[in-house]
């Protein structure tokens, strides 16, 4: 039999297909809903912790070590930076599906039986943290060096400079990347089914094995993923616009008047 023979059958959007899809939704909507809920929760919490890890790692990797620093500090920072570099490279250079299996089953092999849900959060957080660390490091390095020098010239320490001068700019600049990581995590949670995490893909696979309507089930799953990612993307765009503020200003008074101010035009 020719494997490329075209088999005719009911049209994709026939009444039977639509009716079957509606029946699947009516019967299994709690499973779809629970899967979508776990997917969003894992992606959201994993992204938040991943950003915090990325901020910490990114800041540590950009701490300057002056030439006049003691040998102990130089060696200590070298060791820390090496360990952090290994972490970043390992988690950026291996698939999340492999990381999940190594961490979950590795912990079990060592006698530590992790809860599957918390294992999923741990994996997503570490994976996101590795990517965010490089994003944060790049954001810090992109800030003009003169701002560091100006802050130090008025007596600000490096931690204060980072906290009050640099990081507010970095966070604003990397917000699109954070949103992108969140969207990616919503989709990448599907690989966590290998450790039996009951996210959306796992639930969809369970439904399909019960009714054998794989196409209908996973088409519904595809639509649910799209709705989640589309909604999150639009919300993040609104957040970005809100943080940018208005770009038009109206001068109130004159430049010669010391009390003159710039008023934001809300139009």
């Amino acid at each position: 039999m020719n494997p490329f023979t075209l088999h005719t059958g009911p049209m994709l959007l026939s009444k039977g297909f639509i009716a079957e899809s509606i029946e699947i939704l009516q019967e299994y909507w709690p499973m779809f809903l629970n899967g979508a809920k776990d997917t969003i929760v894992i992606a959201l919490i994993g992204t938040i912790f991943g950003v915090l890890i990325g901020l910490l790692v990114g800041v540590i990797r950009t701490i300057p070590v002056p030439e006049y620093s003691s040998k102990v500090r130089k060696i200590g920072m070298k060791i820390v930076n090496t360990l952090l570099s290994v972490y970043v490279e390992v988690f950026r250079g291996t698939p999340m599906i492999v990381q999940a299996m190594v961490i979950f089953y590795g912990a079990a092999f060592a006698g530590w039986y992790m809860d599957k849900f918390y294992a999923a959060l741990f994996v997503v957080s570490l994976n996101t943290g590795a990517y965010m660390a490089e994003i944060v490091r790049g954001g810090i390095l992109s800030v003009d060096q003169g701002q560091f020098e100006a802050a130090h010239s008025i007596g600000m320490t490096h931690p204060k400079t980072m906290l009050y001068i640099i990081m507010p700019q970095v966070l604003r600049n990397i917000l699109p990347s954070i949103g992108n990581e969140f969207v990616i995590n919503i989709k990448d949670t599907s690989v966590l089914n290998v450790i039996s995490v009951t996210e959306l893909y796992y639930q969809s696979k369970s439904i399909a094995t019960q009714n054998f309507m794989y196409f209908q089930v996973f088409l519904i799953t595809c639509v649910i993923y799209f709705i989640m990612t589309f909604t999150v993307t639009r919300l993040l765009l609104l957040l970005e616009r809100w943080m940018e503020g208005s770009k038009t200003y109206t001068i109130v008074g004159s430049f010669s008047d010391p009390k003159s101010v710039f008023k934001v035009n809300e139009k």
Side-chain angles (χ1 to χ4, degrees), residues 119-138:
L121 292 177
F122 187 64
V123 172
V124 175
S125 298
L126 289 179
N127 185 274
T128 303
Y131 284 95
M132 289 306 306
E134 286 300 285
I135 293 172
V136 171
R137 190 173 71 91

Side-chain angles (χ1 to χ4, degrees), residues 1 4 35 149 223 264:
M1 181 178 177
F4 298 101
E149 296 172 357
V223 172
V264 178

Side-chain angles (χ1 to χ4, degrees), residues 145-157 160-162 165-166:
Q145 189 64 28
Q147 296 195 35
F148 288 92
E149 296 172 357
H152 293 160
S153 68
I154 61 174
M156 294 184 70
T157 62
K160 287 186 176 181
T161 301
M162 293 297 297
I165 306 292
I166 307 303

